[in-house]
């Protein structure tokens, strides 16, 4: 297993290195990533050759013990809401499947218990995490598409932050030509308008669990994302990586996202801070503030929250880990 992982890392790093030599526009990158996503999605759906029924036991207020008969590998938690009420369809942001967080649009693979989570639950910890993560994903999508085609925008791995941090964050490196750029208030408002347009489109965050080689192929022209895939594989014993599609934007996520962009309500891009100069260039942290559709804040409270969200959110660096050199037999198994 270790030898196989080392092999595909070398192969796809070479692929990324070769791809980086030829500059590809943002629009073409979107097309290539969507092609990989659609191809793998079609392959997985083709594996479901016959209809198998599963029992989904509903949990939660008013649903305790209700039984739904759904289709294995096809039905999703969102599919289940359509057998309930319009309120469940519109309000459910995330699911718990056998107690584990589960995206609303990810197919169910076996009989299970299902709890639908909303922002007004008595214990909103899991749905709040997913919401903050989704807001950061939306910000990354806006940033990647807001600059002219001739400028590169590399999205780094977004830090996992609790809601109490005051702002969600998206780390990035812009084209070196833009190192002197400092966003004006008008530029921040423009980014906010772009995000609000995506919110109004009510786009689903569509998950797809893939093998590492597929994820690496999707981001073959992005060294940052290649390394993020490797980190995610190392952290997850299943060896799977979850891609999401929102419109024509493909992204990686270290945890589940909420069902759709329309669940965001008040949303504002508040700041872009310079962090440090790394090996890829000047690293920046874009920040924002949002409240979901089911929760609203008076404008005076929102103004205070916004002032807090303008301040740089400090993220503690991950603890240093001592690297273990690969065994000689693993080194010899790498392709030459």
């Amino acid at each position: 297993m270790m030898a196989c992982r080392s092999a595909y890392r070398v192969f796809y790093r070479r692929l990324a290195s070769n791809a980086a030599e030829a500059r590809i526009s943002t629009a073409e990158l979107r097309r290539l990533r969507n092609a990989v996503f659609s191809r793998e999605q079609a392959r997985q759906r083709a594996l479901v050759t016959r209809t198998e029924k599963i029992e989904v036991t509903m949990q939660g207020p008013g649903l305790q013990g209700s039984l739904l008969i759904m289709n294995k590998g096809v039905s999703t938690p969102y599919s289940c809401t359509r057998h309930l009420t319009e309120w469940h369809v519109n309000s459910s942001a995330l699911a718990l499947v056998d107690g584990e967080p589960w995206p609303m649009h990810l197919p169910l693979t076996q009989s299970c218990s299902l709890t639908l989570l909303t922002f007004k639950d008595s214990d909103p910890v899991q749905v709040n995490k997913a919401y903050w993560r989704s807001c950061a994903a939306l910000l990354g999508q806006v940033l990647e598409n807001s600059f002219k085609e001739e400028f590169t925008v590399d999205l780094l791995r977004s830090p996992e932050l609790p809601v109490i941090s005051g702002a969600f964050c998206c780390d990035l490196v812009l084209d070196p030509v833009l190192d002197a750029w400092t966003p004006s208030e008008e530029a921040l408002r423009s980014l906010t308008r772009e995000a609000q347009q995506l919110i109004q489109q009510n786009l689903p965050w569509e998950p797809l669990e893939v093998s590492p080689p597929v994820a690496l192929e999707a981001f073959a022209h992005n060294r940052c994302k290649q390394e993020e895939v490797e980190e995610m594989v190392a952290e997850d014993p299943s060896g799977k990586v979850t891609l999401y599609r929102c419109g024509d934007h493909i992204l990686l996520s270290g945890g589940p996202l909420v069902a759709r962009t329309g669940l965001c309500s008040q949303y504002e891009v508040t700041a872009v801070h310079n962090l440090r100069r790394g090996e890829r260039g000047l690293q920046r942290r874009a920040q924002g503030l949002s409240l979901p559709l089911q929760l609203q804040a008076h404008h005076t409270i929102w103004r205070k929250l916004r002032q807090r969200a303008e301040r740089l959110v400090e993220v503690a660096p991950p603890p240093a880990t001592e690297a273990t050199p690969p065994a000689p037999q693993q080194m010899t198994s790498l392709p030459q």
Side-chain angles (χ1 to χ4, degrees), residues 23-247:
R23 178 68 176 276
I24 297 181
S25 69
T26 302
E28 179 64 9
L29 286 174
R30 283 197 296 269
R31 188 194 67 79
L32 292 171
R33 290 170 186 167
N34 270 277
V36 174
F37 189 101
S38 296
R39 185 195 68 211
E40 175 63 15
Q41 186 181 64
R43 187 194 69 81
Q44 292 186 19
R45 288 176 175 174
L47 297 176
V48 183
T49 56
R50 63 189 182 92
T51 302
E52 293 184 50
K53 297 299 181 180
I54 57 175
E55 295 183 351
V56 179
T57 305
M58 301 302 301
Q59 305 292 335
L63 299 173
Q64 198 74 27
S66 300
L67 184 66
L68 298 177
I69 306 300
M70 307 302 289
N71 296 327
K72 178 181 178 179
V74 176
S75 299
T76 65
Y78 177 76
S79 306
C80 295
T81 66
R82 299 180 68 181
H83 292 273
L84 302 173
T85 68
E86 185 177 357
W87 183 87
H88 290 98
V89 172
N90 295 330
S91 300
S92 299
L94 187 69
L96 294 179
V97 173
D98 290 335
E100 294 297 322
W102 194 274
M104 289 295 295
H105 298 290
L106 185 64
L108 302 168
T109 58
Q110 61 186 15
S111 295
C112 60
S113 67
L114 175 65
T115 305
L116 300 171
L117 303 182
T118 74
F119 295 107
K120 289 194 173 182
D121 291 344
S122 58
D123 182 12
V125 172
Q126 291 296 339
V127 74
N128 282 348
K129 286 181 179 178
Y131 183 72
W132 222 229
R133 195 181 293 125
S134 304
C135 290
L138 187 63
L139 178 54
Q141 182 169 350
V142 167
L143 290 166
E144 191 167 81
N145 298 328
S146 292
F147 292 86
K148 295 180 179 180
E149 288 289 331
E150 60 263 32
F151 298 134
T152 58
V153 179
D154 287 331
L155 301 179
L156 308 180
R157 188 169 188 177
S158 296
E160 284 283 329
L161 298 170
V163 174
I164 58 173
S165 62
F168 53 83
C169 300
C170 177
D171 289 358
L172 71 156
V173 174
L174 295 176
D175 195 293
V177 175
L178 299 174
D179 278 358
W181 176 72
T182 301
S184 63
E185 284 298 320
E186 178 54 38
L188 295 176
R189 284 193 291 269
S190 178
L191 294 173
T192 297
R193 287 193 294 269
E194 293 291 331
Q196 290 170 346
Q197 288 178 11
L198 294 173
I199 291 170
Q200 291 169 5
Q201 292 176 46
N202 198 24
L203 299 168
W205 269 294
E206 186 180 4
L208 185 68
E209 291 186 340
V210 304
S211 63
V214 173
L216 290 166
E217 182 185 359
F219 295 100
H221 298 83
N222 189 316
R223 289 192 183 91
C224 299
K225 292 303 176 185
Q226 292 262 321
E227 293 175 5
E228 186 174 340
V229 168
E230 293 177 5
E231 292 170 2
M232 294 172 73
V233 172
E235 294 167 1
D236 189 345
S238 72
K240 291 288 187 179
V241 177
T242 303
L243 302 179
Y244 281 84
R245 177 159 61 186
C246 181

